[in-house]
């Protein structure tokens, strides 16, 4: 049983985003930080887990603080692998504080619950006024290529997004295959992978929603839908059969509005 922590603070210095403070304990670590192509004030960060993954009884926790006007593009170098938990459940928790006018683009790799795992993942975002968030949460029903679809014991996922003191998104997903028949799940239908893409920014409305809907894949190997959030923002839900397809689709959808919204070229993550 391990408790691993990772913390980072970002600030504007000389018109560019810099990491002013950081801390991590194994197996979590910062893998890379660099300026994205095309210039601008942003900073791209990759995190990694140097162990095989989240093991029995492990608790991972990360804290991220983006000061006013900063711009962070965040991803991970590999999937979040939730290993079997024969005696103690495991958990992964992320907490983000995004100050006035700051931008966070968070596109982590897929979450994969292994056979026999009982795990939870929570992501909480607190946005101040004029802050921008794009967050893609991609999940697999297990190691599909090894025949382990829906063989985990339990999985719980919760995403909370706050705009000031207003709750903009409260999205919860949970499954116990031993009790819940995946074939009868209205959340999955006959698919094995899911993705949720949350986009919060000032001024997002029907014009941006129509642009995003025009970029959604046709029904077939993937199924997708998009809608406006009550507090201002857009949510997209996707179902598919492969994590990489959903990840690429989430980036493509975000890039339909990113250049106009941020004045930057399309976002890509090279790993």
């Amino acid at each position: 049983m391990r408790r691993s922590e990772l913390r980072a603070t970002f600030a504007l210095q000389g018109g560019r985003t810099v990491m002013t403070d950081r801390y991590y304990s194994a197996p979590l670590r910062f893998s890379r930080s660099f300026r994205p192509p095309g210039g601008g004030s942003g900073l791209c960060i990759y995190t990694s887990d140097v162990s095989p993954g989240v093991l029995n009884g492990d608790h991972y926790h990360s804290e991220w603080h983006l000061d006013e006007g900063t711009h962070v593009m965040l991803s991970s170098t590999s999937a979040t692998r939730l290993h079997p938990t024969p005696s103690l459940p495991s958990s992964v928790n992320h907490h983000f504080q995004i100050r006035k006018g700051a931008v966070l683009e968070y596109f982590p790799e897929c979450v994969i619950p292994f056979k026999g795992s009982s795990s939870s993942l929570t992501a909480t975002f607190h946005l101040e006024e004029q802050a921008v968030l794009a967050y893609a949460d991609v999940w697999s029903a297990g190691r599909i290529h090894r025949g382990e679809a829906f063989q985990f014991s339990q999985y719980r996922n919760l995403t909370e997004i706050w705009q000031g003191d207003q709750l903009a998104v409260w999205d919860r997903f949970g499954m116990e295959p031993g009790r819940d028949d995946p074939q009868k799940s209205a959340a999955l239908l006959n698919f094995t992978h899911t993705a949720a893409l949350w986009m919060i920014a000032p001024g997002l409305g029907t014009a941006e929603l129509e642009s995003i809907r025009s970029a959604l894949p046709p029904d077939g190997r993937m199924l997708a839908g998009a809608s406006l959030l009550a507090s201002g923002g857009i949510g997209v839900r996707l179902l598919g059969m492969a994590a990489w397809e959903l990840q690429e689709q989430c980036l493509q959808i975000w890039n339909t509005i990113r250049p106009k919204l941020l004045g930057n070229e399309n976002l890509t993550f090279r790993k």
Side-chain angles (χ1 to χ4, degrees), residues 173-202:
F173 171 76
M175 179 172 285
E176 295 181 47
R179 186 189 68 180
D180 310 320
D181 185 354
Q183 301 301 319
K184 298 180 180 179
S185 171
L188 291 168
L189 302 179
N190 293 317
F191 295 92
T192 57
H193 294 71
T194 70
L197 175 61
W198 306 106
M199 295 165 284
I200 311 287

Side-chain angles (χ1 to χ4, degrees), residues 162-239:
W162 294 83
Q163 292 179 275
D165 59 359
Q166 182 178 12
L167 182 61
V169 173
W170 193 87
D171 186 59
R172 184 174 182 179
F173 171 76
M175 179 172 285
E176 295 181 47
R179 186 189 68 180
D180 310 320
D181 185 354
Q183 301 301 319
K184 298 180 180 179
S185 171
L188 291 168
L189 302 179
N190 293 317
F191 295 92
T192 57
H193 294 71
T194 70
L197 175 61
W198 306 106
M199 295 165 284
I200 311 287
L204 284 185
T206 55
E208 290 76 19
L209 177 62
E210 290 308 311
S211 295
I212 285 171
R213 283 177 171 169
S214 67
L216 297 179
D219 292 351
R221 186 170 172 82
M222 285 184 280
L223 183 64
S227 59
L228 289 174
L229 304 177
S231 61
I234 297 173
V236 179
R237 186 83 64 184
L238 304 99
L239 299 174

